[in-house]
C-alpha cells in the first residue's frame, strides 16, 4: 500500500490526529509479569494508551513468569493493578473489555527452553488471531542478573529477528530494559555485552523514566523552539546552574537495594545526569535519536573528571538521620529495615561540576539529590550574571540576578525572576516572577512517563532512551567520583536531619563560591 507522506514521514491528512501516535502492530511480552512494575506502571500505561486510542489494532500483551496463574487470574490481577494505579479513574469498562481480550499469560521458568517454545507457539497463535505481524517487544521487568539467560533463550528459540529482517519488510524484535544498568562501569559493560550478544543496539531501548516526563521533554522544546533563550544560554550570560532532585520520602522498604546503590547510583548517575546533559548540550541537528544522543554524549565527555585533589571541595555526601518530614517524625536511614546500623551509604549528594567546553567554560553546575529532604521538588535553575553596573541604591546593596527556574515536578512550570520598581514615589526595587504553569495552561492530567516510553518503543523511536555509550559515559564519571572519594576522603557521610535540605557541608560547598542554594 502506498502511503501519502511528507519528507518527514508524516501523512499530512493525519497530522494532529490521535492516530499519528499509534504504535506498530505488535505483541508486548513482559518477562517478570507478576512483579510490581507490571501492576503499578506497565499495565496502567498500556491501558491508558488504549483509552487514548494510541494502541495499534493488532496488539497483544503477554505476561511471562514462573508462577502458575490458572484461568483468568492474570487478567484479574491486571485489572486490579489498573484500577489502583491508572491516572484515569474509574476504569472504563468498555475500553477494558476490549483491551483485556489482548492479555494472556505464559507460565514458565526463565532458564527452561520449554518456556520459550511455549512462548513461540503462543506468539504465532496471537499473530493469526490478533494480527501482531510477528513483531515483538520484549520487556525485561526482571533483575539484571536474569537478562543473560532470557536473551540467550530467546535467541536459541528463534524468537529474535535481526534488524535486517525488518528492513526487508519482515517483522521487528526489540528489547526494553530498566535501570539499574549495572552498578559501575565494568558491570554496565558486562550487561551491555550480554544484551549485545543477541540484539543490535538499534533494537535496545534502555528506560530512564525521567526522559518520559513531559517537563523533561519540554526542555528540548523550550531551548530549541524559542529564539529568546539560546543566545544567552552560555558562559557570557550564565553565572551558574543549579539542578535539584529532592525527595521527601525515605527508602520506602527498599533498604536492601539502597545499601547497594545509595543516591549517587540510584538517582545521580542516571536521572540527574540526564537533566544535566539536556541543559548543557548543543542544539542537535535534528530530533533523530542518534543526533540527540550524540550531543548528550559530548556533554558527558566534557565533564571535568573528579580527580582526588578535587573531591574534597567539590563533593558532599550525606545520610539522613531522624527528623520531621511534613510535621511527622521520620526514622533515620540506619533505622530502616535491611540497613546496616553503621551503614556509610549516601542518601544525599551535592557536587560542583564543570562542563569544560566553549559554551560552559568556568560556569559551575551545582547539582544535588537526596531522600528525606524538606520537600519533593525537581528543578533546573539557570542563574544569570549580575548587571555590570548598579544605577539604583537598592536597600540590600544590590540587585538580584535573573533566574530562570524550570520546574520538572511537582507544580510543573517555568518561572523567570526579574527586578521591578515598586509603585510609589520612591525607587524601591522588588523581585517578581513571570510564571508559566502547566496545570493552569493545559490541565494537569498529563500522560505518565511509561505511556510515552512504551509507545515510542512500539514505534521504534529511540530518542528518549539511553544509548550504550551514554550509560557507560555516565558510569565513567560516577566511578571516578567514588574512586576519588574513597582514596581521598573515605569518611562516613555526615548525618543530616530528615526534613532538612541536607548536611551543612552542602551549604559550605556553594558558599565558598559566594553563592547559595535556592530554596525551591
Ligand atoms: C527511581 C528511584 O528511579 O526514581 C527511586 O529508584 C526514586 O528511588 C524514583 O524514588 C523517583 O522517581 P519520580 O518519578 O518519583 O521522581
Amino acid at each position: 500500500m502506498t502511503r501519502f507522506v511528507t519528507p518527514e514521514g508524516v501523512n499530512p491528512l493525519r497530522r494532529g490526529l490521535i492516530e499519528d501516535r499509534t504504535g506498530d502492530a505488535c505483541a508486548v511480552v513482559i518477562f517478570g509479569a507478576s512483579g510490581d512494575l507490571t501492576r503499578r506502571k506497565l499495565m496502567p500505561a498500556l491501558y491508558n494508551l488504549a483509552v487514548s486510542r494510541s494502541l495499534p489494532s493488532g496488539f497483544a500483551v503477554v505476561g511471562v513468569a514462573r508462577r502458575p496463574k490458572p484461568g483468568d487470574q492474570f487478567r484479574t490481577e491486571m485489572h486490579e493493578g489498573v484500577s489502583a494505579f491508572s491516572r484515569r479513574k474509574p476504569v472504563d469498562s468498555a475500553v477494558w473489555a476490549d483491551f483485556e481480550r489482548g492479555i494472556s499469560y505464559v507460565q514458565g521458568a526463565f532458564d527452561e527452553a520449554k518456556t520459550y517454545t511455549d512462548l513461540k507457539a503462543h506468539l504465532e497463535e496471537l499473530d493469526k488471531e490478533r494480527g501482531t505481524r510477528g513483531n515483538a517487544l520484549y520487556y525485561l521487568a526482571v533483575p539484571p542478573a536474569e537478562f543473560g539467560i532470557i536473551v540467550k533463550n530467546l535467541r536459541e528459540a528463534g524468537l529474535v529477528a535481526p534488524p535486517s529482517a525488518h528492513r526487508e519488510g519482515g517483522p521487528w524484535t526489540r528489547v526494553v530494559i530498566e535501570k539499574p544498568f549495572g552498578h559501575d562501569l565494568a558491570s554496565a559493560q558486562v550487561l551491555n555485552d550480554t544484551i549485545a550478544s543477541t540484539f543490535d543496539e538499534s533494537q535496545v531501548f534502555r528506560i530512564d523514566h525521567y526522559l518520559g516526563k513531559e517537563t523533561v521533554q519540554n526542555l528540548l522544546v523550550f531551548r530549541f523552539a524559542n529564539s529568546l533563550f539560546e543566545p544567552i544560554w552560555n558562559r557570557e550570560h550564565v553565572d551558574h546552574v543549579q539542578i535539584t532532585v529532592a525527595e521527601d520520602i525515605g527508602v520506602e522498604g527498599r533498604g536492601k537495594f539502597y545499601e547497594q546503590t545509595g543516591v549517587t547510583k540510584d538517582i545521580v548517575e542516571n536521572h540527574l545526569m540526564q537533566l544535566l546533559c539536556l541543559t548543557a548540550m548543543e542544539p542537535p541537528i535534528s530530533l533523530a535519536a542518534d543526533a540527540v544522543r550524540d550531543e548528550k554524549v559530548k556533554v558527558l565527555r566534557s565533564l571535568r573528571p573528579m580527580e582526588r585533589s578535587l573531591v574534597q571541595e567539590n563533593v558532599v555526601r550525606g545520610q539522613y538521620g531522624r527528623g520531621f518530614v511534613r510535621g511527622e517524625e521520620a526514622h533515620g536511614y540506619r533505622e530502616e529495615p535491611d540497613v546496616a546500623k553503621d551503614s556509610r551509604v549516601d542518601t544525599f549528594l551535592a557536587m560542583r561540576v564543570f562542563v569544560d567546553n566553549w559554551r560552559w567554560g568556568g560556569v559551575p553546575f551545582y547539582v544535588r539529590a537526596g531522600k528525606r529532604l524538606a520537600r519533593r521538588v525537581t528543578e533546573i535553575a539557570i542563574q544569570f550574571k549580575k548587571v555590570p553596573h548598579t544605577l539604583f541604591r537598592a536597600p540590600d546593596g544590590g540587585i538580584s540576578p535573573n533566574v530562570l527556574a524550570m520546574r520538572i515536578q511537582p507544580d510543573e512550570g517555568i518561572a523567570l525572576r526579574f527586578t521591578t520598581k515598586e509603585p510609589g514615589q520612591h525607587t524601591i526595587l522588588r523581585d517578581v516572577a513571570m510564571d508559566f504553569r502547566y496545570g493552569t495552561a493545559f490541565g494537569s492530567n498529563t500522560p505518565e512517563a511509561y505511556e510515552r516510553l512504551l509507545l515510542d518503543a512500539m514505534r521504534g523511536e529511540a530518542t528518549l532512551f539511553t544509548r550504550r555509550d551514554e550509560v557507560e559515559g555516565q558510569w565513567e564519571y560516577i566511578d571516578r567520583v567514588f574512586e576519588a572519594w574513597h582514596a581521598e576522603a573515605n569518611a562516613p557521610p555526615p548525618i543530616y536531619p530528615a526534613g532538612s535540605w541536607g548536611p551543612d557541608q552542602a551549604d559550605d560547598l556553594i558558599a565558598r563560591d559566594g553563592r547559595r542554594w535556592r530554596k525551591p
Side-chain angles (χ1 to χ4, degrees), residues 33 46 48 81 97 106 110 124 148 150 158 160 170 187 192 218 226 229 275 284 302 324-325 346 350 355 359 441:
L46 290 170
N48 276 291
V106 171
F110 299 150
E124 282 164 6
I150 295 176
V160 179
S187 58
N192 280 330
N218 191 44
N226 294 294
F229 300 103
L275 297 183
S302 316
F324 287 85
V325 179
D346 47 276
V355 181
R359 184 188 282 263

Side-chain angles (χ1 to χ4, degrees), residues 3 50 67 109 237 256 272 275 352 391 461 465 473 505:
R3 290 180 64 210
R67 290 184 210 159
H237 301 276
K256 208 180 272 175
L272 198 147
L275 297 183
R352 186 174 69 155
L391 296 175
E461 285 181 4
F465 296 83
Q505 288 86 336

Side-chain angles (χ1 to χ4, degrees), residues 468-489:
R468 175 174 184 153
D469 51 352
E470 249 178 300
V471 169
E472 294 182 1
Q474 290 168 188
W475 275 123
E476 200 173 331
Y477 183 76
I478 291 298
D479 271 7
R480 292 188 78 157
V481 172
F482 272 101
E483 274 164 29
W485 179 266
H486 287 303
E488 195 62 21

Side-chain angles (χ1 to χ4, degrees), residues 41 178-179 208-210 213 245-247 249-252 254 257-258 261 263 265-267 270-271 371 376 378 409 448-449:
K41 295 286 184 193
E178 283 268 349
K179 74 181 258 282
D208 179 319
H209 80 280
Y210 256 57
K213 289 183 191 277
V245 181
E247 294 184 277
I249 55 171
V251 293
E252 305 280 287
R254 293 196 304 160
F257 166 75
Y258 231 71
T261 50
V263 75
K265 296 183 181 189
D266 185 38
I267 303 271
N270 37 73
H271 308 326
K371 297 258 183 211
R376 173 173 184 248
T378 300
Q409 63 186 20
E448 287 269 350

Side-chain angles (χ1 to χ4, degrees), residues 79-102:
H79 187 263
E80 283 163 10
V82 171
S83 306
F85 299 108
S86 164
R87 71 185 161 93
R88 290 184 176 107
K89 287 194 177 98
V91 174
D92 181 314
S93 48
V95 175
W96 178 262
D98 191 38
F99 178 67
E100 182 188 57
R101 278 194 280 277

Side-chain angles (χ1 to χ4, degrees), residues 56-212:
S57 49
F59 178 77
V61 46
V62 184
V64 185
R66 291 180 194 90
R67 290 184 210 159
K69 294 192 192 287
D72 262 357
Q73 189 183 332
F74 185 59
R75 286 180 178 174
T76 308
E77 285 172 8
M78 293 306 111
H79 187 263
E80 283 163 10
V82 171
S83 306
F85 299 108
S86 164
R87 71 185 161 93
R88 290 184 176 107
K89 287 194 177 98
V91 174
D92 181 314
S93 48
V95 175
W96 178 262
D98 191 38
F99 178 67
E100 182 188 57
R101 278 194 280 277
I103 299 181
S104 54
Y105 185 72
V106 171
Q107 186 258 325
F110 299 150
D111 56 356
E112 276 177 20
K114 180 175 178 310
T115 308
Y116 300 84
T117 44
D118 288 354
L119 177 63
K120 191 167 189 208
H122 185 63
L123 288 176
E124 282 164 6
E125 200 56 30
L126 280 178
D127 198 356
K128 284 190 218 124
E129 278 172 21
R130 301 192 57 87
T132 50
R133 301 205 198 141
N135 297 331
L137 183 71
Y138 299 118
Y139 201 114
L140 306 190
V142 297
E146 309 206 60
F147 289 0
I149 195 72
I150 295 176
V151 301
K152 172 176 168 283
N153 275 300
L154 284 172
R155 186 180 66 230
E156 287 176 358
L159 280 162
V160 179
S164 55
H166 184 46
R167 280 197 296 274
E168 286 153 20
W172 53 252
T173 310
R174 298 178 190 136
V175 65
V176 181
I177 54 177
E178 283 268 349
K179 74 181 258 282
F181 310 119
H183 50 87
D184 58 12
L185 176 59
S187 58
Q189 283 168 333
V190 170
L191 211 57
N192 280 330
D193 287 344
T194 303
I195 299 288
S197 66
T198 299
F199 293 95
D200 181 76
E201 180 62 26
S202 65
Q203 297 173 294
V204 184
F205 291 72
R206 293 179 193 80
I207 286 198
D208 179 319
H209 80 280
Y210 256 57
L211 292 179

